[in-house]
PDB file of all heavy atoms in Angstrom:
ATOM      1  N   THR J 544     -36.412  -2.666  57.511  1.00  0.00           N
ATOM      2  CA  THR J 544     -37.063  -2.203  58.739  1.00  0.00           C
ATOM      3  C   THR J 544     -36.667  -3.053  59.936  1.00  0.00           C
ATOM      4  O   THR J 544     -36.483  -2.539  61.039  1.00  0.00           O
ATOM      5  CB  THR J 544     -38.595  -2.193  58.560  1.00  0.00           C
ATOM      6  OG1 THR J 544     -38.910  -1.303  57.492  1.00  0.00           O
ATOM      7  CG2 THR J 544     -39.296  -1.724  59.820  1.00  0.00           C
ATOM      8  N   GLN J 545     -36.506  -4.362  59.723  1.00  0.00           N
ATOM      9  CA  GLN J 545     -36.144  -5.221  60.858  1.00  0.00           C
ATOM     10  C   GLN J 545     -34.724  -4.954  61.347  1.00  0.00           C
ATOM     11  O   GLN J 545     -34.390  -5.293  62.464  1.00  0.00           O
ATOM     12  CB  GLN J 545     -36.305  -6.694  60.490  1.00  0.00           C
ATOM     13  CG  GLN J 545     -37.741  -7.165  60.681  1.00  0.00           C
ATOM     14  CD  GLN J 545     -37.854  -8.668  60.694  1.00  0.00           C
ATOM     15  OE1 GLN J 545     -37.299  -9.334  59.838  1.00  0.00           O
ATOM     16  NE2 GLN J 545     -38.570  -9.213  61.648  1.00  0.00           N
ATOM     17  N   THR J 546     -33.898  -4.360  60.509  1.00  0.00           N
ATOM     18  CA  THR J 546     -32.524  -4.072  60.952  1.00  0.00           C
ATOM     19  C   THR J 546     -32.416  -2.703  61.612  1.00  0.00           C
ATOM     20  O   THR J 546     -31.473  -2.448  62.351  1.00  0.00           O
ATOM     21  CB  THR J 546     -31.530  -4.133  59.768  1.00  0.00           C
ATOM     22  OG1 THR J 546     -31.833  -3.079  58.846  1.00  0.00           O
ATOM     23  CG2 THR J 546     -31.590  -5.460  59.055  1.00  0.00           C
ATOM     24  N   ILE J 547     -33.389  -1.821  61.372  1.00  0.00           N
ATOM     25  CA  ILE J 547     -33.303  -0.451  61.907  1.00  0.00           C
ATOM     26  C   ILE J 547     -33.181  -0.454  63.429  1.00  0.00           C
ATOM     27  O   ILE J 547     -32.380   0.278  64.002  1.00  0.00           O
ATOM     28  CB  ILE J 547     -34.529   0.392  61.484  1.00  0.00           C
ATOM     29  CG1 ILE J 547     -34.451   0.717  59.994  1.00  0.00           C
ATOM     30  CG2 ILE J 547     -34.585   1.707  62.282  1.00  0.00           C
ATOM     31  CD1 ILE J 547     -35.699   1.364  59.444  1.00  0.00           C
ATOM     32  N   ALA J 548     -33.968  -1.302  64.086  1.00  0.00           N
ATOM     33  CA  ALA J 548     -33.987  -1.306  65.550  1.00  0.00           C
ATOM     34  C   ALA J 548     -32.627  -1.673  66.146  1.00  0.00           C
ATOM     35  O   ALA J 548     -32.347  -1.358  67.292  1.00  0.00           O
ATOM     36  CB  ALA J 548     -35.043  -2.278  66.050  1.00  0.00           C
ATOM     37  N   LEU J 549     -31.773  -2.322  65.356  1.00  0.00           N
ATOM     38  CA  LEU J 549     -30.473  -2.746  65.874  1.00  0.00           C
ATOM     39  C   LEU J 549     -29.389  -1.697  65.670  1.00  0.00           C
ATOM     40  O   LEU J 549     -28.271  -1.862  66.139  1.00  0.00           O
ATOM     41  CB  LEU J 549     -30.027  -4.039  65.182  1.00  0.00           C
ATOM     42  CG  LEU J 549     -30.936  -5.247  65.381  1.00  0.00           C
ATOM     43  CD1 LEU J 549     -30.352  -6.453  64.685  1.00  0.00           C
ATOM     44  CD2 LEU J 549     -31.108  -5.532  66.857  1.00  0.00           C
ATOM     45  N   ILE J 550     -29.706  -0.653  64.927  1.00  0.00           N
ATOM     46  CA  ILE J 550     -28.678   0.353  64.646  1.00  0.00           C
ATOM     47  C   ILE J 550     -28.784   1.457  65.688  1.00  0.00           C
ATOM     48  O   ILE J 550     -29.807   2.112  65.821  1.00  0.00           O
ATOM     49  CB  ILE J 550     -28.857   0.927  63.223  1.00  0.00           C
ATOM     50  CG1 ILE J 550     -28.760  -0.210  62.201  1.00  0.00           C
ATOM     51  CG2 ILE J 550     -27.811   1.992  62.937  1.00  0.00           C
ATOM     52  CD1 ILE J 550     -29.186   0.166  60.823  1.00  0.00           C
ATOM     53  N   SER J 551     -27.717   1.654  66.464  1.00  0.00           N
ATOM     54  CA  SER J 551     -27.794   2.594  67.585  1.00  0.00           C
ATOM     55  C   SER J 551     -27.723   4.037  67.123  1.00  0.00           C
ATOM     56  O   SER J 551     -28.264   4.921  67.739  1.00  0.00           O
ATOM     57  CB  SER J 551     -26.681   2.310  68.587  1.00  0.00           C
ATOM     58  OG  SER J 551     -25.432   2.343  67.948  1.00  0.00           O
ATOM     59  N   MET J 552     -27.041   4.291  66.005  1.00  0.00           N
ATOM     60  CA  MET J 552     -26.936   5.671  65.533  1.00  0.00           C
ATOM     61  C   MET J 552     -26.708   5.681  64.029  1.00  0.00           C
ATOM     62  O   MET J 552     -25.998   4.834  63.505  1.00  0.00           O
ATOM     63  CB  MET J 552     -25.781   6.400  66.229  1.00  0.00           C
ATOM     64  CG  MET J 552     -25.850   7.909  66.081  1.00  0.00           C
ATOM     65  SD  MET J 552     -24.626   8.725  67.116  1.00  0.00           S
ATOM     66  CE  MET J 552     -25.356   8.503  68.722  1.00  0.00           C
ATOM     67  N   LEU J 553     -27.330   6.607  63.340  1.00  0.00           N
ATOM     68  CA  LEU J 553     -27.143   6.717  61.899  1.00  0.00           C
ATOM     69  C   LEU J 553     -25.675   6.948  61.606  1.00  0.00           C
ATOM     70  O   LEU J 553     -25.037   7.803  62.201  1.00  0.00           O
ATOM     71  CB  LEU J 553     -27.976   7.884  61.353  1.00  0.00           C
ATOM     72  CG  LEU J 553     -28.068   8.019  59.835  1.00  0.00           C
ATOM     73  CD1 LEU J 553     -28.594   6.737  59.205  1.00  0.00           C
ATOM     74  CD2 LEU J 553     -28.972   9.166  59.478  1.00  0.00           C
ATOM     75  N   ASP J 554     -25.139   6.165  60.674  1.00  0.00           N
ATOM     76  CA  ASP J 554     -23.705   6.223  60.395  1.00  0.00           C
ATOM     77  C   ASP J 554     -23.422   7.405  59.478  1.00  0.00           C
ATOM     78  O   ASP J 554     -23.165   7.259  58.296  1.00  0.00           O
ATOM     79  CB  ASP J 554     -23.276   4.905  59.737  1.00  0.00           C
ATOM     80  CG  ASP J 554     -21.775   4.804  59.602  1.00  0.00           C
ATOM     81  OD1 ASP J 554     -21.080   5.620  60.229  1.00  0.00           O
ATOM     82  OD2 ASP J 554     -21.303   3.925  58.863  1.00  0.00           O
ATOM     83  N   LYS J 555     -23.491   8.604  60.061  1.00  0.00           N
ATOM     84  CA  LYS J 555     -23.269   9.793  59.239  1.00  0.00           C
ATOM     85  C   LYS J 555     -22.143  10.651  59.804  1.00  0.00           C
ATOM     86  O   LYS J 555     -22.011  11.824  59.493  1.00  0.00           O
ATOM     87  CB  LYS J 555     -24.563  10.600  59.090  1.00  0.00           C
ATOM     88  CG  LYS J 555     -25.272  10.918  60.376  1.00  0.00           C
ATOM     89  CD  LYS J 555     -26.639  11.506  60.127  1.00  0.00           C
ATOM     90  CE  LYS J 555     -26.573  12.968  59.795  1.00  0.00           C
ATOM     91  NZ  LYS J 555     -27.848  13.660  59.820  1.00  0.00           N
ATOM     92  N   GLU J 556     -21.309  10.034  60.683  1.00  0.00           N
ATOM     93  CA  GLU J 556     -20.152  10.761  61.191  1.00  0.00           C
ATOM     94  C   GLU J 556     -19.151  10.943  60.057  1.00  0.00           C
ATOM     95  O   GLU J 556     -18.883  10.030  59.304  1.00  0.00           O
ATOM     96  CB  GLU J 556     -19.489   9.977  62.337  1.00  0.00           C
ATOM     97  CG  GLU J 556     -20.296   9.969  63.605  1.00  0.00           C
ATOM     98  CD  GLU J 556     -19.642   9.114  64.691  1.00  0.00           C
ATOM     99  OE1 GLU J 556     -18.427   8.855  64.581  1.00  0.00           O
ATOM    100  OE2 GLU J 556     -20.345   8.718  65.617  1.00  0.00           O
ATOM    101  N   ASP J 557     -18.599  12.123  59.969  1.00  0.00           N
ATOM    102  CA  ASP J 557     -17.613  12.414  58.932  1.00  0.00           C
ATOM    103  C   ASP J 557     -16.224  12.154  59.497  1.00  0.00           C
ATOM    104  O   ASP J 557     -15.756  12.889  60.360  1.00  0.00           O
ATOM    105  CB  ASP J 557     -17.761  13.884  58.495  1.00  0.00           C
ATOM    106  CG  ASP J 557     -16.768  14.269  57.417  1.00  0.00           C
ATOM    107  OD1 ASP J 557     -15.988  13.383  56.982  1.00  0.00           O
ATOM    108  OD2 ASP J 557     -16.741  15.446  57.020  1.00  0.00           O
ATOM    109  N   PRO J 558     -15.540  11.106  59.001  1.00  0.00           N
ATOM    110  CA  PRO J 558     -14.215  10.791  59.558  1.00  0.00           C
ATOM    111  C   PRO J 558     -13.188  11.882  59.277  1.00  0.00           C
ATOM    112  O   PRO J 558     -12.159  11.951  59.948  1.00  0.00           O
ATOM    113  CB  PRO J 558     -13.836   9.481  58.850  1.00  0.00           C
ATOM    114  CG  PRO J 558     -14.692   9.421  57.636  1.00  0.00           C
ATOM    115  CD  PRO J 558     -15.932  10.188  57.936  1.00  0.00           C
ATOM    116  N   ASP J 559     -13.478  12.739  58.304  1.00  0.00           N
ATOM    117  CA  ASP J 559     -12.529  13.811  57.958  1.00  0.00           C
ATOM    118  C   ASP J 559     -12.781  15.094  58.751  1.00  0.00           C
ATOM    119  O   ASP J 559     -12.033  16.061  58.632  1.00  0.00           O
ATOM    120  CB  ASP J 559     -12.607  14.121  56.446  1.00  0.00           C
ATOM    121  CG  ASP J 559     -12.231  12.904  55.609  1.00  0.00           C
ATOM    122  OD1 ASP J 559     -11.313  12.172  56.033  1.00  0.00           O
ATOM    123  OD2 ASP J 559     -12.865  12.683  54.570  1.00  0.00           O
ATOM    124  N   PHE J 560     -13.856  15.111  59.555  1.00  0.00           N
ATOM    125  CA  PHE J 560     -14.167  16.332  60.312  1.00  0.00           C
ATOM    126  C   PHE J 560     -13.088  16.580  61.357  1.00  0.00           C
ATOM    127  O   PHE J 560     -12.756  15.703  62.155  1.00  0.00           O
ATOM    128  CB  PHE J 560     -15.537  16.194  60.988  1.00  0.00           C
ATOM    129  CG  PHE J 560     -15.898  17.379  61.846  1.00  0.00           C
ATOM    130  CD1 PHE J 560     -16.204  18.603  61.264  1.00  0.00           C
ATOM    131  CD2 PHE J 560     -15.909  17.288  63.236  1.00  0.00           C
ATOM    132  CE1 PHE J 560     -16.532  19.700  62.049  1.00  0.00           C
ATOM    133  CE2 PHE J 560     -16.230  18.379  64.028  1.00  0.00           C
ATOM    134  CZ  PHE J 560     -16.548  19.591  63.427  1.00  0.00           C
ATOM    135  N   ASP J 561     -12.521  17.790  61.335  1.00  0.00           N
ATOM    136  CA  ASP J 561     -11.431  18.124  62.255  1.00  0.00           C
ATOM    137  C   ASP J 561     -12.011  18.809  63.488  1.00  0.00           C
ATOM    138  O   ASP J 561     -12.166  20.027  63.527  1.00  0.00           O
ATOM    139  CB  ASP J 561     -10.407  19.031  61.547  1.00  0.00           C
ATOM    140  CG  ASP J 561      -9.170  19.272  62.409  1.00  0.00           C
ATOM    141  OD1 ASP J 561      -8.897  18.434  63.285  1.00  0.00           O
ATOM    142  OD2 ASP J 561      -8.496  20.301  62.205  1.00  0.00           O
ATOM    143  N   GLY J 562     -12.343  18.007  64.497  1.00  0.00           N
ATOM    144  CA  GLY J 562     -12.926  18.562  65.715  1.00  0.00           C
ATOM    145  C   GLY J 562     -12.472  17.790  66.941  1.00  0.00           C
ATOM    146  O   GLY J 562     -12.163  16.594  66.873  1.00  0.00           O
ATOM    147  N   VAL J 563     -12.434  18.484  68.063  1.00  0.00           N
ATOM    148  CA  VAL J 563     -12.107  17.847  69.347  1.00  0.00           C
ATOM    149  C   VAL J 563     -13.219  16.859  69.688  1.00  0.00           C
ATOM    150  O   VAL J 563     -14.405  17.157  69.494  1.00  0.00           O
ATOM    151  CB  VAL J 563     -11.989  18.923  70.462  1.00  0.00           C
ATOM    152  CG1 VAL J 563     -11.805  18.272  71.830  1.00  0.00           C
ATOM    153  CG2 VAL J 563     -10.842  19.878  70.164  1.00  0.00           C
ATOM    154  N   GLN J 564     -12.853  15.675  70.165  1.00  0.00           N
ATOM    155  CA  GLN J 564     -13.845  14.649  70.523  1.00  0.00           C
ATOM    156  C   GLN J 564     -14.245  14.805  71.990  1.00  0.00           C
ATOM    157  O   GLN J 564     -13.388  14.797  72.877  1.00  0.00           O
ATOM    158  CB  GLN J 564     -13.244  13.264  70.321  1.00  0.00           C
ATOM    159  CG  GLN J 564     -14.151  12.130  70.723  1.00  0.00           C
ATOM    160  CD  GLN J 564     -15.188  11.789  69.670  1.00  0.00           C
ATOM    161  OE1 GLN J 564     -14.854  11.507  68.538  1.00  0.00           O
ATOM    162  NE2 GLN J 564     -16.454  11.828  70.050  1.00  0.00           N
ATOM    163  N   LEU J 565     -15.549  14.960  72.250  1.00  0.00           N
ATOM    164  CA  LEU J 565     -16.073  14.978  73.618  1.00  0.00           C
ATOM    165  C   LEU J 565     -16.784  13.650  73.855  1.00  0.00           C
ATOM    166  O   LEU J 565     -17.590  13.230  73.017  1.00  0.00           O
ATOM    167  CB  LEU J 565     -17.071  16.119  73.814  1.00  0.00           C
ATOM    168  CG  LEU J 565     -16.536  17.475  74.291  1.00  0.00           C
ATOM    169  CD1 LEU J 565     -15.555  18.047  73.299  1.00  0.00           C
ATOM    170  CD2 LEU J 565     -17.681  18.451  74.511  1.00  0.00           C
ATOM    171  N   ALA J 566     -16.487  12.984  74.964  1.00  0.00           N
ATOM    172  CA  ALA J 566     -17.126  11.688  75.212  1.00  0.00           C
ATOM    173  C   ALA J 566     -17.125  11.359  76.691  1.00  0.00           C
ATOM    174  O   ALA J 566     -16.231  11.776  77.434  1.00  0.00           O
ATOM    175  CB  ALA J 566     -16.403  10.573  74.445  1.00  0.00           C
ATOM    176  N   THR J 567     -18.139  10.600  77.113  1.00  0.00           N
ATOM    177  CA  THR J 567     -18.102  10.040  78.463  1.00  0.00           C
ATOM    178  C   THR J 567     -17.035   8.941  78.466  1.00  0.00           C
ATOM    179  O   THR J 567     -16.681   8.395  77.415  1.00  0.00           O
ATOM    180  CB  THR J 567     -19.450   9.407  78.853  1.00  0.00           C
ATOM    181  OG1 THR J 567     -19.710   8.311  77.972  1.00  0.00           O
ATOM    182  CG2 THR J 567     -20.582  10.405  78.780  1.00  0.00           C
ATOM    183  N   LEU J 568     -16.561   8.590  79.641  1.00  0.00           N
ATOM    184  CA  LEU J 568     -15.572   7.507  79.738  1.00  0.00           C
ATOM    185  C   LEU J 568     -16.155   6.199  79.205  1.00  0.00           C
ATOM    186  O   LEU J 568     -15.455   5.418  78.556  1.00  0.00           O
ATOM    187  CB  LEU J 568     -15.121   7.344  81.192  1.00  0.00           C
ATOM    188  CG  LEU J 568     -14.165   8.445  81.675  1.00  0.00           C
ATOM    189  CD1 LEU J 568     -14.066   8.446  83.201  1.00  0.00           C
ATOM    190  CD2 LEU J 568     -12.784   8.280  81.063  1.00  0.00           C
ATOM    191  N   HIS J 569     -17.446   5.956  79.456  1.00  0.00           N
ATOM    192  CA  HIS J 569     -18.062   4.734  78.942  1.00  0.00           C
ATOM    193  C   HIS J 569     -18.069   4.716  77.416  1.00  0.00           C
ATOM    194  O   HIS J 569     -17.805   3.687  76.795  1.00  0.00           O
ATOM    195  CB  HIS J 569     -19.500   4.592  79.467  1.00  0.00           C
ATOM    196  CG  HIS J 569     -19.577   4.181  80.900  1.00  0.00           C
ATOM    197  ND1 HIS J 569     -19.812   5.083  81.924  1.00  0.00           N
ATOM    198  CD2 HIS J 569     -19.427   2.970  81.503  1.00  0.00           C
ATOM    199  CE1 HIS J 569     -19.817   4.439  83.076  1.00  0.00           C
ATOM    200  NE2 HIS J 569     -19.587   3.154  82.857  1.00  0.00           N
ATOM    201  N   ALA J 570     -18.364   5.875  76.807  1.00  0.00           N
ATOM    202  CA  ALA J 570     -18.435   5.942  75.342  1.00  0.00           C
ATOM    203  C   ALA J 570     -17.057   5.934  74.695  1.00  0.00           C
ATOM    204  O   ALA J 570     -16.935   5.694  73.497  1.00  0.00           O
ATOM    205  CB  ALA J 570     -19.205   7.200  74.914  1.00  0.00           C
ATOM    206  N   SER J 571     -16.013   6.198  75.490  1.00  0.00           N
ATOM    207  CA  SER J 571     -14.665   6.314  74.914  1.00  0.00           C
ATOM    208  C   SER J 571     -13.979   4.973  74.736  1.00  0.00           C
ATOM    209  O   SER J 571     -12.960   4.874  74.065  1.00  0.00           O
ATOM    210  CB  SER J 571     -13.785   7.208  75.805  1.00  0.00           C
ATOM    211  OG  SER J 571     -13.375   6.514  76.976  1.00  0.00           O
ATOM    212  N   LYS J 572     -14.542   3.907  75.353  1.00  0.00           N
ATOM    213  CA  LYS J 572     -13.861   2.610  75.283  1.00  0.00           C
ATOM    214  C   LYS J 572     -13.721   2.178  73.833  1.00  0.00           C
ATOM    215  O   LYS J 572     -14.650   2.277  73.048  1.00  0.00           O
ATOM    216  CB  LYS J 572     -14.613   1.547  76.086  1.00  0.00           C
ATOM    217  CG  LYS J 572     -13.793   0.272  76.253  1.00  0.00           C
ATOM    218  CD  LYS J 572     -14.175  -0.474  77.519  1.00  0.00           C
ATOM    219  CE  LYS J 572     -15.396  -1.330  77.315  1.00  0.00           C
ATOM    220  NZ  LYS J 572     -15.124  -2.518  76.494  1.00  0.00           N
ATOM    221  N   GLY J 573     -12.536   1.722  73.479  1.00  0.00           N
ATOM    222  CA  GLY J 573     -12.277   1.303  72.103  1.00  0.00           C
ATOM    223  C   GLY J 573     -11.686   2.401  71.243  1.00  0.00           C
ATOM    224  O   GLY J 573     -11.250   2.153  70.121  1.00  0.00           O
ATOM    225  N   LEU J 574     -11.671   3.643  71.754  1.00  0.00           N
ATOM    226  CA  LEU J 574     -11.117   4.764  70.983  1.00  0.00           C
ATOM    227  C   LEU J 574      -9.714   5.103  71.489  1.00  0.00           C
ATOM    228  O   LEU J 574      -9.315   4.697  72.576  1.00  0.00           O
ATOM    229  CB  LEU J 574     -12.021   6.000  71.122  1.00  0.00           C
ATOM    230  CG  LEU J 574     -13.497   5.802  70.754  1.00  0.00           C
ATOM    231  CD1 LEU J 574     -14.279   7.085  71.019  1.00  0.00           C
ATOM    232  CD2 LEU J 574     -13.639   5.389  69.293  1.00  0.00           C
ATOM    233  N   GLU J 575      -8.964   5.862  70.693  1.00  0.00           N
ATOM    234  CA  GLU J 575      -7.642   6.320  71.127  1.00  0.00           C
ATOM    235  C   GLU J 575      -7.356   7.674  70.488  1.00  0.00           C
ATOM    236  O   GLU J 575      -7.853   7.979  69.407  1.00  0.00           O
ATOM    237  CB  GLU J 575      -6.562   5.305  70.724  1.00  0.00           C
ATOM    238  CG  GLU J 575      -6.528   4.981  69.240  1.00  0.00           C
ATOM    239  CD  GLU J 575      -5.517   3.886  68.908  1.00  0.00           C
ATOM    240  OE1 GLU J 575      -5.538   2.827  69.559  1.00  0.00           O
ATOM    241  OE2 GLU J 575      -4.705   4.102  67.989  1.00  0.00           O
ATOM    242  N   PHE J 576      -6.576   8.484  71.196  1.00  0.00           N
ATOM    243  CA  PHE J 576      -6.283   9.845  70.741  1.00  0.00           C
ATOM    244  C   PHE J 576      -4.847  10.210  71.135  1.00  0.00           C
ATOM    245  O   PHE J 576      -4.381   9.810  72.207  1.00  0.00           O
ATOM    246  CB  PHE J 576      -7.242  10.848  71.395  1.00  0.00           C
ATOM    247  CG  PHE J 576      -8.691  10.500  71.215  1.00  0.00           C
ATOM    248  CD1 PHE J 576      -9.354   9.730  72.154  1.00  0.00           C
ATOM    249  CD2 PHE J 576      -9.385  10.923  70.097  1.00  0.00           C
ATOM    250  CE1 PHE J 576     -10.683   9.387  71.997  1.00  0.00           C
ATOM    251  CE2 PHE J 576     -10.719  10.587  69.922  1.00  0.00           C
ATOM    252  CZ  PHE J 576     -11.372   9.821  70.870  1.00  0.00           C
ATOM    253  N   PRO J 577      -4.163  10.986  70.304  1.00  0.00           N
ATOM    254  CA  PRO J 577      -2.814  11.421  70.684  1.00  0.00           C
ATOM    255  C   PRO J 577      -2.801  12.167  72.020  1.00  0.00           C
ATOM    256  O   PRO J 577      -1.916  11.961  72.842  1.00  0.00           O
ATOM    257  CB  PRO J 577      -2.393  12.331  69.526  1.00  0.00           C
ATOM    258  CG  PRO J 577      -3.175  11.828  68.351  1.00  0.00           C
ATOM    259  CD  PRO J 577      -4.495  11.395  68.921  1.00  0.00           C
ATOM    260  N   HIS J 578      -3.806  13.052  72.235  1.00  0.00           N
ATOM    261  CA  HIS J 578      -3.794  13.901  73.432  1.00  0.00           C
ATOM    262  C   HIS J 578      -5.150  13.832  74.136  1.00  0.00           C
ATOM    263  O   HIS J 578      -6.182  14.100  73.532  1.00  0.00           O
ATOM    264  CB  HIS J 578      -3.471  15.354  73.049  1.00  0.00           C
ATOM    265  CG  HIS J 578      -2.268  15.471  72.171  1.00  0.00           C
ATOM    266  ND1 HIS J 578      -0.988  15.245  72.622  1.00  0.00           N
ATOM    267  CD2 HIS J 578      -2.164  15.757  70.837  1.00  0.00           C
ATOM    268  CE1 HIS J 578      -0.140  15.403  71.621  1.00  0.00           C
ATOM    269  NE2 HIS J 578      -0.818  15.701  70.537  1.00  0.00           N
ATOM    270  N   VAL J 579      -5.123  13.471  75.422  1.00  0.00           N
ATOM    271  CA  VAL J 579      -6.373  13.290  76.173  1.00  0.00           C
ATOM    272  C   VAL J 579      -6.414  14.219  77.378  1.00  0.00           C
ATOM    273  O   VAL J 579      -5.419  14.361  78.111  1.00  0.00           O
ATOM    274  CB  VAL J 579      -6.527  11.824  76.637  1.00  0.00           C
ATOM    275  CG1 VAL J 579      -7.649  11.676  77.657  1.00  0.00           C
ATOM    276  CG2 VAL J 579      -6.782  10.907  75.439  1.00  0.00           C
ATOM    277  N   PHE J 580      -7.578  14.864  77.579  1.00  0.00           N
ATOM    278  CA  PHE J 580      -7.866  15.646  78.780  1.00  0.00           C
ATOM    279  C   PHE J 580      -8.943  14.898  79.556  1.00  0.00           C
ATOM    280  O   PHE J 580     -10.059  14.727  79.069  1.00  0.00           O
ATOM    281  CB  PHE J 580      -8.350  17.049  78.409  1.00  0.00           C
ATOM    282  CG  PHE J 580      -7.265  17.944  77.863  1.00  0.00           C
ATOM    283  CD1 PHE J 580      -6.848  17.814  76.543  1.00  0.00           C
ATOM    284  CD2 PHE J 580      -6.643  18.884  78.669  1.00  0.00           C
ATOM    285  CE1 PHE J 580      -5.835  18.622  76.036  1.00  0.00           C
ATOM    286  CE2 PHE J 580      -5.629  19.689  78.179  1.00  0.00           C
ATOM    287  CZ  PHE J 580      -5.213  19.556  76.858  1.00  0.00           C
ATOM    288  N   LEU J 581      -8.584  14.427  80.737  1.00  0.00           N
ATOM    289  CA  LEU J 581      -9.517  13.701  81.596  1.00  0.00           C
ATOM    290  C   LEU J 581      -9.947  14.668  82.692  1.00  0.00           C
ATOM    291  O   LEU J 581      -9.155  15.049  83.552  1.00  0.00           O
ATOM    292  CB  LEU J 581      -8.794  12.479  82.165  1.00  0.00           C
ATOM    293  CG  LEU J 581      -9.555  11.434  82.965  1.00  0.00           C
ATOM    294  CD1 LEU J 581     -10.861  11.052  82.308  1.00  0.00           C
ATOM    295  CD2 LEU J 581      -8.691  10.199  83.158  1.00  0.00           C
TER     296      LEU J 581
END
Side-chain angles (χ1 to χ4, degrees):
T544 300
Q545 276 196 313
T546 65
I547 288 172
L549 299 182
I550 301 168
S551 55
M552 196 171 286
L553 189 56
D554 188 13
K555 51 190 280 192
E556 289 177 20
D557 180 2
D559 299 323
F560 177 70
D561 187 24
V563 174
Q564 177 81 56
L565 270 61
T567 63
L568 285 164
H569 285 100
S571 75
K572 191 153 83 72
L574 305 177
E575 56 185 50
F576 307 91
H578 311 289
V579 168
F580 288 79
L581 187 45

